[in-house]
Amino acid sequence: MSKKIMIQGGKPLNGEINISGAKNAAVAIIPAAILVDGVCRLENIPNIVDVMVQLDIVKGMGAGVRFLNPTTVEIDATHIGTDEPPYELMRKLRASYYLMGALLSRYHKAEVAMPGGCNFGGVRPIDLHIKGFEALGAVTSIKEGGFVCVEAENGLIGKTIFLDVVSVGATMNIMLAATLAEGTTTIENAAKEPHIVDLANFLNAMGADICGAGTDVIKIHGVEKLHGGTYSIIPDQIEAGTYMAAVAATGGSLTLNNIIPKHLECISTKLIEMGAEVEYTDDTVRVTRTDPLHKTNIKTLPYPGFPTDMQPQMAIPLCLADGASVITEGVWDSRFRYVDELRKMGADVHVDGKVAVFNGVPKLMGAPVTAYDLRAGAAMIIAGLAAQGETAISDTRHIERGYDDIVGKLQSVGAQIEYVEVADEGGEN
Ligand code: EPZ
């Protein structure tokens, strides 16, 4: 048996949703807990598969992992006994690459499986991570079976590292490796995403000495050890943005609680151009859409630009806007695989490399579609909610990797959406 998400579309969304902790911060902060001598208490943990896999990985390495309540977990890595994390779990998760930086920092050696994770159709290299580790004194080798081994026999020594491409993962991984290194590491052309700042804040709260996170130059002054403490993970920018795009597509009015307004500016700017109203308080945002949607253009860029992880979701209101809207993907080589599924629902889209033109249509129609990756899956849900009739989404496991109870949260604001168990049909993957 497998699961599908069934949606009866065409209903506006109205009400309130609480936003969970940020996936891309949590999946970096959990391995960062490996650097800590003592107990880290992490609050605002999202209940998503990627986070549970990451917790299972550190548990498999011997860390104590204990939930105090559904959103608070304690990790005690004081006595972790191995530098080899469980390979099969690592292969499931792209963010398992953060184990490399963390283990290198603590043990001066890491041997990990080549990371798996979201496949949205393009190449996802880790050369910049390796370049950073090597600059700090590590030697890298690729071993049989797809393992990467990084080792710094004489320890890591701080250096200045210029990233050729702005990379979230490389910035975080080098930050992890440099935290317990000797001397000062400077990352130039660093990524500035909210989860970079969150990782630095977590490490500093545990005794690290990192400054500049959130700018393009980050300085990490190595310290001897980190101590335990309590830290609350930031709200998920992309989860909030996903519900903002959903209400833009369906019409209605949604209030999202537990958000950081600054993180959502790039998204609300586009929604306002499309005709939605957006109102903030200190930690809530209300998005209302009653009038017809206007076309707009979007180009994804590293933060504070428009996030690539919101690109597929924002495509749905653009499918229904007046005229032709252009989306240019500026981060990944290819992230338009979901467009084929949208065409089944009546969307009029032309893709040429990194550019997609969405010619607005009056309505989308429900159809059987596949969630090819996490954000594509979220886009399929939004399309189903906005479409006339029934949409059945298969391969929902991708969605569960990154959205905390998306079906329950949408039901609570008036969506007709549910999971159904279906007999395996074969042929899908
Ligand atoms: C992170 O992936 C996120 N994942 C992705 O979110 C997100 O799409 C991406 O950042 C960009 O914001 C996590 O945080 C776990 P990158 P990451 O290194 O770190 C090139 C989601 O939907 N590059 O910033 O793997 C790369 O090809 C996921 O939540 C190199 O050339 O992305 C890309 O063009 C999917 N060499 C660009 O940099 C490298 O060594 C940005 O990638 C690394 C990256």
Side-chain angles (χ1 to χ4, degrees):
M1 296 289 273
S2 60
K3 280 193 296 187
K4 283 192 180 179
I5 292 177
M6 303 296 297
I7 304 172
Q8 303 295 331
K11 295 175 180 59
L13 299 177
N14 285 293
E16 286 185 34
I17 288 177
N18 295 329
I19 298 304
S20 300
K23 167 179 94 82
N24 288 344
V27 294
I29 288 173
I30 292 165
I34 287 180
L35 301 185
V36 176
D37 272 334
V39 178
C40 293
R41 181 177 293 184
L42 298 178
E43 299 170 344
N44 207 27
I45 284 277
N47 183 6
I48 55 175
V49 170
D50 274 10
V51 160
M52 298 308 149
V53 172
Q54 199 71 301
L55 286 171
D56 281 346
I57 291 174
V58 294
K59 204 170 170 179
M61 294 167 63
V65 174
R66 188 167 71 105
F67 270 93
L68 304 185
N69 62 50
T71 57
T72 305
V73 68
E74 280 186 350
I75 302 174
D76 184 355
T78 314
H79 302 295
I80 59 168
T82 170
D83 55 354
E84 293 182 8
Y87 296 132
E88 283 319 308
L89 288 175
M90 284 204 73
R91 285 193 192 282
K92 285 189 185 175
L93 182 64
R94 176 89 189 151
S96 59
Y97 55 37
Y98 294 129
L99 268 303
M100 275 198 248
L103 289 171
L104 195 56
S105 207
R106 179 153 175 185
Y107 291 110
H108 303 157
K109 184 179 176 196
E111 192 172 317
V112 300
M114 275 290 204
C118 247
N119 172 14
F120 28 73
V123 178
R124 298 187 66 183
I126 56 165
D127 56 304
L128 293 171
H129 305 229
I130 303 290
K131 180 182 158 185
F133 298 149
E134 289 182 346
L136 299 178
V139 174
T140 313
S141 51
I142 305 293
K143 293 200 168 170
E144 202 184 320
F147 298 116
V148 190
C149 181
V150 274
E151 188 165 10
E153 254 179 48
N154 302 318
L156 297 167
I157 299 179
K159 273 273 166 54
T160 294
I161 298 159
F162 180 87
L163 296 180
D164 307 329
V165 178
V166 178
S167 160
V168 169
T171 302
M172 302 243 235
N173 234 341
I174 295 167
M175 204 192 290
L176 287 168
T179 293
L180 301 179
E182 202 183 311
T184 297
T185 299
T186 304
I187 308 175
E188 293 184 346
N189 201 27
K192 298 183 279 230
E193 269 67 6
H195 27 294
I196 306 269
V197 180
D198 212 36
L199 175 63
N201 287 344
F202 163 79
L203 290 167
N204 283 342
M206 305 296 139
D209 185 357
I210 300 171
C211 55
T215 76
D216 56 9
V217 180
I218 301 178
K219 279 195 187 298
I220 304 119
H221 305 287
V223 296
E224 264 178 33
K225 60 194 280 191
L226 300 185
H227 54 73
T230 297
Y231 189 78
S232 185
I233 288 169
I234 49 164
D236 197 309
Q237 174 204 28
I238 305 300
E239 187 198 15
T242 297
Y243 293 118
M244 292 165 81
V247 70
T250 62
S253 186
L254 278 188
T255 299
L256 307 177
N257 302 318
N258 183 33
I259 57 99
I260 296 177
K262 179 84 191 147
H263 296 168
L264 301 176
E265 269 172 14
C266 42
I267 300 165
S268 38
T269 302
K270 288 292 149 190
L271 291 173
I272 292 165
E273 284 174 24
M274 292 162 73
E277 284 167 42
V278 182
E279 300 156 83
Y280 287 104
T281 67
D282 284 351
D283 61 356
T284 71
V285 61
R286 180 171 159 168
V287 181
T288 306
R289 206 275 289 172
T290 42
D291 296 331
L293 288 159
H294 305 305
K295 66 181 181 183
T296 191
N297 298 330
I298 293 175
K299 177 163 186 178
T300 69
L301 288 168
Y303 191 82
F306 189 90
T308 173
D309 294 344
M310 275 301 300
Q311 185 258 96
Q313 302 91 308
M314 287 294 270
I316 312 306
L318 293 182
C319 284
L320 295 164
D322 61 0
S325 305
V326 179
I327 297 186
T328 308
E329 175 54 49
V331 175
W332 296 105
D333 285 342
S334 161
R335 207 174 187 175
F336 288 116
R337 196 176 172 198
Y338 65 92
V339 158
D340 285 342
E341 302 305 289
L342 288 184
R343 290 197 185 106
K344 293 180 190 163
M345 302 178 76
D348 179 357
V349 193
H350 301 272
V351 179
D352 186 2
K354 292 179 157 202
V355 179
V357 179
F358 293 78
N359 294 308
V361 293
K363 62 175 184 178
L364 293 174
M365 290 160 294
V369 290
T370 301
Y372 282 119
D373 66 60
L374 171 61
R375 307 304 172 188
M380 291 306 121
I381 290 184
I382 299 173
L385 295 172
Q388 302 296 315
E390 183 175 273
T391 294
I393 304 173
S394 52
D395 246 359
T396 61
R397 67 200 160 94
H398 290 295
I399 300 168
E400 287 139 26
R401 287 185 38 218
Y403 285 94
D404 187 347
D405 190 23
I406 190 167
V407 167
K409 289 185 185 187
L410 285 168
Q411 282 170 345
S412 76
V413 292
Q416 217 173 320
I417 178 170
E418 60 179 353
Y419 276 111
V420 293
E421 294 274 347
V422 289
D424 287 324
E425 294 158 8
E428 281 176 2
N429 58 41

